[in-house]
Amino acid sequence: EITTRLVGSEMCIRDRLKDAYIKCKDYSKIETKGESYIKRYFLWNSLNNEDSAENKVTIILLNPAFACSDFLDATLKRAKYLLEHDLKQSKVYSSFAVLNLTSIRQPKSGVLPVLLEKFQPLEDDKKFIEEYIEANINSNMDYILAWGNNEDKIACNDHTKMSQFVLKCLASAINKKANTNLYIYLNRLTGKENPPHFNQQGFNSMKKTYNDIKIQLTPVSIFESNKSYKLNII
């Protein structure tokens, strides 16, 4: 009887996940491309900026939605627009890459905790991010940190936040290469000291709290306190 209940529960979760993905409006685009609709480790997109061939930037977000090699979701469309307009006043880039604290795609709100539980551990994400940052130490790479206030959902096997692992990797890169630059895309951190997300809802929420918010690339540094890595606006 117990075995039957477990098998039934697993089937229920599998059906729920499949249903969540299929109902997503962009599912068919990814299926047509033959790309994984469950995970995405990396995405690259060009920008309509001139005279910026040597400036590279990687945006680190929370987790991927349904952007693909052929199209961008709402968050990345906003990121691209800002890099081609408002943020150009700070620095000009020719393209941008996207990493996430976890590679698991989120088809709809509320499903991510189930997905994280099902697809643990995150060792593949840690390996990919660490190797990516290490490989780009000498490539004039900047990073925009934008994973928002929900990063506590993404935890490693030892229960530490994945964001802490990423900050540790970036701190190591900075120590090895002085011109590895870190930015957030607003002129202040959020109340929880996490980098603001690129979605419009997060920006609107911050505007309600701070009426002097400006959209710009703001340099940040990483410092260690009580065995925890934190961000500080420079």
Side-chain angles (χ1 to χ4, degrees):
E1 183 182 354
I2 294 176
T3 303
T4 303
R5 285 204 302 269
L6 286 173
V7 171
S9 175
E10 290 175 357
M11 289 177 64
C12 180
I13 291 174
R14 186 169 63 247
D15 291 343
R16 178 184 171 189
L17 296 180
K18 183 178 178 182
D19 185 60
Y21 281 112
I22 290 175
K23 286 184 177 179
C24 177
K25 63 183 177 67
D26 293 323
Y27 170 85
S28 60
K29 297 178 182 177
I30 292 179
E31 187 179 40
T32 300
K33 287 289 296 180
E35 298 182 15
S36 170
Y37 62 85
I38 294 177
K39 289 191 172 188
R40 190 194 75 220
Y41 293 93
F42 176 83
L43 184 144
W44 175 89
N45 200 269
S46 61
L47 295 166
N48 294 322
N49 292 334
E50 298 178 358
D51 303 324
S52 54
E54 295 183 0
N55 293 331
K56 303 176 182 178
V57 64
T58 295
I59 301 171
I60 305 180
L61 296 164
L62 186 70
N63 72 294
F66 275 73
C68 190
S69 58
D70 280 355
F71 63 92
L72 301 180
D73 57 32
T75 295
L76 295 187
K77 284 180 181 177
R78 174 172 166 76
K80 180 174 182 176
Y81 176 84
L82 289 175
L83 286 168
E84 291 176 340
H85 295 86
D86 303 56
L87 301 182
K88 249 178 109 172
Q89 307 305 315
S90 304
K91 197 163 184 179
V92 182
Y93 298 101
S94 60
S95 62
F96 70 96
V98 179
L99 300 180
N100 294 272
L101 298 187
T102 176
S103 58
I104 299 173
R105 294 186 189 270
Q106 180 176 329
K108 66 177 182 179
S109 178
V111 178
L112 182 59
V114 179
L115 293 168
L116 289 170
E117 182 179 356
K118 183 176 179 62
F119 291 104
Q120 287 280 2
L122 300 176
E123 292 306 312
D124 54 341
D125 296 320
K126 292 171 69 175
K127 184 173 186 292
F128 186 89
I129 291 171
E130 185 174 30
E131 290 180 352
Y132 179 91
I133 292 173
E134 182 70 23
N136 283 286
I137 285 178
N138 295 313
S139 64
N140 201 32
M141 179 68 72
D142 291 348
Y143 292 87
I144 300 176
L145 310 184
W147 50 71
N149 281 329
N150 294 315
E151 97 289 359
D152 56 347
K153 294 180 180 178
I154 318 296
C156 303
N157 283 346
D158 58 1
H159 304 296
T160 58
K161 296 177 182 178
M162 187 65 172
S163 57
Q164 285 290 298
F165 174 79
V166 173
L167 290 177
K168 180 180 179 180
C169 291
L170 289 170
S172 175
I174 291 170
N175 289 335
K176 294 177 182 178
K177 187 73 173 178
N179 64 349
T180 299
N181 302 304
L182 305 183
Y183 298 98
I184 60 172
Y185 86 100
L186 293 177
N187 65 342
R188 66 170 79 239
L189 295 174
T190 66
K192 295 182 180 180
E193 297 185 348
N194 292 319
H197 198 277
F198 265 102
N199 62 36
Q200 187 64 40
Q201 295 93 324
F203 176 66
N204 291 340
S205 176
M206 289 192 71
K207 284 185 69 176
K208 292 179 181 178
T209 305
Y210 309 104
N211 58 14
D212 61 341
I213 284 291
K214 295 179 181 178
I215 298 179
Q216 61 189 45
L217 285 181
T218 302
V220 292
S221 61
I222 299 173
F223 68 97
E224 189 175 1
S225 175
N226 296 323
K227 298 182 179 180
S228 177
Y229 292 92
K230 298 180 180 180
L231 292 174
N232 182 53
I233 290 180
I234 298 175

